[in-house]
Amino acid sequence: WFDLQPHDVRAQEFGLLRSLRWQVNVPSVESWLSMFEGRFGVLMAGEFSRSVIWMREDLRQLAFTMMLWRPASNVHAPRRLAGGLFSIGLLRATLLPAEALRPQHVCHDEWEELFLQSQMMNEVPACTLQPEYVQWVLGSLVAATNLPLEEIQRDCEFTMGCLRGARGDLNRMYACGAH
């Protein structure tokens, strides 16, 4: 076994960073979204490309709102937020029903309320696809994110909670500034 001291580890880290010329690109919410979108497009063989193009801009606005409120961190991991956002985008684009993304521990009414509050909408968009297409989209989402459905559902819940918090704080901030 090696007897590594903290200064040895720091020296190795410094050497690595110096060899990379301190050019370290940490994956961001944006880069994860882009990767999920690319994978999803390939898996869907170009189907629903108009919806995916619309989602791209819509999701970037949601990500911007969320990052203003709470920058990515260990708790708000970029991949987790991007997976939640991408899934929410499919719901907003009417390619998935809200129920498909609901975690088992959350009741239907609470799930709809969380969605509406996080999206500042009056009603949950209705999925426009036949059940067999919904299964194709859901399977492609699982493959594109490389996550089990249960984890995608938890990421959706987490991300909607973050969006709800961001929108609530922003609304309070604007209300205070308006008086």
Side-chain angles (χ1 to χ4, degrees):
W1 294 102
F2 296 99
D3 183 26
L4 286 177
Q5 299 297 316
H7 67 274
D8 296 325
V9 173
R10 281 193 297 278
Q12 287 292 328
E13 289 173 343
F14 183 73
L16 177 63
L17 287 169
R18 198 174 54 227
S19 69
L20 293 172
R21 296 187 182 138
W22 292 82
Q23 299 296 311
V24 181
N25 295 322
V26 178
S28 65
V29 171
E30 178 79 23
S31 63
W32 282 110
L33 278 172
S34 182
M35 184 176 63
F36 295 155
E37 179 187 325
R39 288 178 179 174
F40 185 80
V42 168
L43 292 164
M44 295 300 295
E47 273 306 306
F48 314 116
S49 59
R50 284 186 182 174
S51 295
V52 173
I53 290 168
W54 175 84
M55 274 176 49
R56 181 183 307 137
E57 188 56 37
D58 187 52
L59 292 178
R60 280 167 181 64
Q61 291 173 1
L62 288 176
F64 180 75
T65 298
M66 199 165 39
M67 291 298 106
L68 279 177
W69 178 69
R70 198 64 49 116
S73 65
N74 288 340
V75 174
H76 298 91
R79 181 180 178 162
R80 183 176 195 192
L81 294 171
L85 282 170
F86 192 78
S87 303
I88 293 164
L90 293 171
L91 195 164
R92 289 172 58 102
T94 69
L95 297 178
L96 281 178
E99 280 299 302
L101 300 175
R102 181 178 62 83
Q104 286 187 336
H105 70 275
V106 179
C107 76
H108 173 82
D109 291 341
E110 287 176 17
W111 185 244
E112 283 198 356
E113 187 65 24
L114 177 60
F115 177 82
L116 295 173
Q117 290 174 352
S118 71
Q119 306 301 305
M120 295 182 75
M121 299 175 107
N122 294 325
E123 60 183 32
V124 177
C127 180
T128 58
L129 301 181
Q130 297 296 320
E132 61 272 11
Y133 282 104
V134 168
Q135 289 307 309
W136 185 27
V137 170
L138 204 51
S140 296
L141 170 63
V142 166
T145 58
N146 196 30
L147 294 171
L149 181 58
E150 295 77 22
E151 193 166 337
I152 292 169
Q153 291 168 332
R154 285 192 304 271
D155 290 351
C156 255
E157 178 185 20
F158 176 79
T159 302
M160 286 195 291
C162 289
L163 281 167
R164 178 179 56 190
R167 292 188 187 280
D169 286 352
L170 290 171
N171 286 342
R172 283 188 290 283
M173 184 177 72
Y174 289 131
C176 289
H179 293 290

